[in-house]
């Protein structure tokens, strides 16, 4: 059990409102994200109305739209098309963030269910995916232990990390009241000297009777402590996953703005960030989640691009700026809306 006394005391020192639950924290984040979507939708409607008005100027279906607009109108069309693509990219980023929040909430529900009743979801259970994700998080936790055993979020508004830590404190308080150090030392000593099978597990049939009896007694006695410790470890992993999901979201928004809406630039800030090995593993978990569960926006755009041909947008080369309006440049295909984002 890798819970250090100092870390335990520090973690318990954080006080948060009891009303800060995981459900409310995720709900607040989702609400704010949906509000941002609404604001962008209003902007997008204005852009689309103007693009439609420019498109309506193309009266001759046999001629490219670019040849039927003035240079100023063609410039505006290209500018608005790029702006619309940037808005769509922001919506895609927002939708991916919403997906990550929902996955974290569902995985917490599974961890909490295991803690309460100990039953694992069946393969046909809708929560089976999130149980598998929890198993992956446990593997990451075992392979890349954090230096300070427990993370302690700064006391602040009800963030997801604070909400998870609020739940975690209950188990930490229980562990703090358990005097298990001597029992754990004795159990560890028996485990080390016990005969092992080919898979590394203890071969109880070959153990001395006294050791086997002591082992079983200690396992029963320590079962409550192990249960609390398992739950704390699960919550620590979820706190790290939530922290990296937030960092990814902020980096992606920055990349989208800095690049002017270029989807190929999204993710560069995260790739360049100097992360600890443990954090890098959680970033990989987020990428796997994106592969397994497309965001709502991604699914909608994928369906739309399968049924609709890409629009045409007018453009002109720099050397044609002084040409007559009737000689505007040939058109080029507009880029399809982004549909995939890690």
């Amino acid at each position: 059990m890798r819970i250090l006394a100092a870390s335990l005391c520090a973690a318990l020192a954080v006080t948060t409102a009891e009303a800060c639950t995981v459900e409310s924290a995720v709900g607040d984040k989702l609400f704010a994200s949906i509000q941002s979507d609404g604001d962008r939708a209003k902007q997008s409607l204005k852009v689309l109305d103007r693009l439609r008005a420019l498109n309506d100027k193309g009266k001759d279906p046999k001629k490219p739209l670019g040849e039927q607009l003035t240079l100023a109108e063609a410039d505006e069309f290209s500018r608005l098309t790029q702006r619309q693509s940037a808005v769509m990219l922001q919506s895609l980023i927002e939708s991916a963030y919403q997906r990550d929040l929902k996955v974290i909430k569902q995985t917490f529900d599974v961890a909490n269910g295991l803690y309460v009743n100990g039953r694992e979801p069946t393969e046909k259970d809708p929560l089976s995916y999130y149980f598998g994700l929890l198993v992956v998080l446990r593997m990451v936790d075992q392979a890349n232990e954090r230096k300070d055993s427990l993370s302690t979020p700064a006391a602040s508004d009800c963030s997801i990390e604070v909400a998870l830590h609020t739940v975690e404190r209950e188990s930490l308080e229980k562990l703090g009241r358990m005097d298990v150090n001597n029992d754990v030392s004795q159990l560890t000593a028996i485990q080390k000297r016990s005969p092992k099978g080919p898979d590394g597990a203890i071969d109880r049939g070959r153990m001395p009777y006294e050791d086997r009896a002591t082992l079983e007694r200690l396992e029963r006695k320590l079962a409550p402590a192990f249960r609390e410790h398992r739950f704390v470890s699960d919550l620590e992993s979820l706190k790290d996953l939530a922290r990296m999901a937030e960092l990814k979201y902020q980096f992606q928004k920055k990349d989208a703005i800095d690049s002017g809406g270029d989807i190929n630039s999204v993710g560069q800030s995260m790739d360049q960030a100097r992360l600890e090995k443990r954090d890098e593993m959680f970033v990989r978990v987020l990428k796997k989640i994106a592969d397994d569960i497309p965001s709502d926006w991604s699914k909608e755009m994928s369906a739309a691009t399968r049924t609709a041909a890409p629009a045409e947008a007018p453009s002109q080369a720099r050397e044609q700026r002084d040409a007559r309006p009737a000689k505007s440049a040939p058109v080029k295909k507009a880029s399809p809306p982004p549909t995939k984002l890690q």
Side-chain angles (χ1 to χ4, degrees):
M1 300 175 67
R2 59 182 183 84
I3 298 179
L4 304 181
S7 298
L8 177 60
C9 293
L12 292 175
V14 177
T15 57
T16 56
E18 292 299 326
C20 182
T21 65
V22 176
E23 183 176 7
S24 65
V26 171
D28 289 345
K29 289 280 187 180
L30 287 173
F31 181 74
S33 180
I34 292 171
Q35 277 191 318
S36 297
D37 274 339
D39 293 339
R40 273 190 301 275
K42 294 177 182 178
Q43 300 173 17
S44 180
L45 285 175
K46 294 179 181 179
V47 172
L48 290 173
D49 285 343
R50 180 54 183 161
L51 286 172
R52 188 177 298 109
L54 292 171
N55 189 69
D56 289 344
K57 294 190 176 215
K59 305 299 183 181
D60 190 345
K62 296 182 180 180
K63 289 184 179 181
L65 179 60
E67 294 181 4
Q68 303 179 67
L69 298 179
T70 66
L71 287 177
E73 289 171 339
D75 275 340
E76 183 183 9
F77 194 102
S78 295
R79 187 171 63 254
L80 290 176
T81 300
Q82 182 179 8
R83 180 178 175 185
Q84 180 65 8
S85 295
V87 170
M88 294 176 74
L89 179 56
Q90 289 286 352
S91 295
L92 179 59
I93 292 171
E94 207 73 50
S95 183
Y97 179 56
Q98 293 169 14
R99 182 266 324 284
D100 291 344
L101 293 175
K102 293 174 184 176
V103 168
I104 291 169
K105 171 61 169 58
Q106 293 279 52
T107 309
F108 165 74
D109 288 342
V110 170
N112 189 65
L114 290 171
Y115 174 75
V116 172
N117 55 46
R119 289 194 297 270
E120 299 179 0
T122 64
E123 291 185 3
K124 295 182 179 180
D125 192 313
L127 294 176
S128 62
Y129 174 84
Y130 305 100
F131 172 70
L133 177 58
L134 184 64
V135 172
V136 170
L137 293 177
R138 290 174 175 178
M139 293 170 62
V140 172
D141 181 62
Q142 292 174 0
N144 302 276
E145 293 185 0
R146 62 168 55 254
K147 294 178 180 178
D148 297 325
S149 283
L150 297 174
S151 63
T152 307
S156 63
D157 295 334
C158 184
S159 68
I160 298 176
E161 285 185 76
V162 169
L164 289 167
H165 192 76
T166 301
V167 177
E168 186 181 35
R169 285 179 62 237
E170 298 173 5
S171 289
L172 293 174
E173 289 170 351
K174 293 177 183 178
L175 283 169
R177 293 192 294 268
M178 295 180 185
D179 184 12
V180 299
N181 290 336
N182 291 334
D183 292 327
V184 169
S185 297
Q186 188 177 0
L187 177 65
T188 301
I190 293 175
Q191 290 173 333
K192 286 183 177 180
R193 68 172 179 259
S194 295
K196 309 293 192 301
D199 59 353
I202 294 176
D203 186 346
R204 300 192 180 221
R206 294 162 52 199
M207 290 180 66
Y209 172 79
E210 295 80 4
D211 276 1
R212 186 168 68 249
T214 302
L215 175 66
E216 292 173 352
R217 177 181 60 79
L218 289 173
E219 287 176 335
R220 290 192 299 270
K221 184 177 180 181
L222 291 172
F226 287 144
R227 174 170 167 267
E228 301 300 338
H229 179 261
R230 176 75 279 168
F231 193 42
V232 168
S233 296
D234 288 343
L235 294 175
E236 282 296 308
S237 294
L238 285 170
K239 284 157 69 176
D240 284 336
L241 189 66
R243 179 170 54 83
M244 297 314 298
E246 184 69 30
L247 182 64
K248 183 191 77 169
Y249 170 58
Q250 297 299 336
F251 274 155
Q252 287 185 342
K253 289 200 300 182
K254 177 181 181 300
D255 289 342
I257 294 172
D258 292 348
S259 67
D262 180 10
I263 191 173
N264 295 318
S265 298
V266 175
Q268 291 182 355
S269 293
M270 180 65 86
D271 292 340
Q272 296 170 1
R274 295 182 177 179
L275 303 176
E276 294 182 1
K277 184 178 180 181
R278 181 181 171 90
D279 291 338
E280 290 177 352
M281 293 297 294
F282 283 106
V283 172
R284 294 180 188 177
V285 171
L286 289 171
K287 289 182 178 180
K288 184 64 170 66
I289 291 171
D291 289 337
D292 294 341
I293 308 177
S295 67
D296 290 342
W297 178 268
S298 178
K299 288 184 287 188
E300 292 171 5
M301 289 300 101
S302 294
T305 53
R306 285 195 299 269
T307 58
E312 292 186 343
S315 63
Q316 59 283 325
R318 184 181 299 275
E319 61 267 22
Q320 294 175 314
R321 295 271 180 196
D322 297 328
R324 294 168 60 86
K327 299 293 184 181
S328 57
V331 299
K332 66 177 181 179
K333 297 279 187 179
S335 299
T339 61
K340 182 68 174 176
L341 190 68
Q342 296 293 340

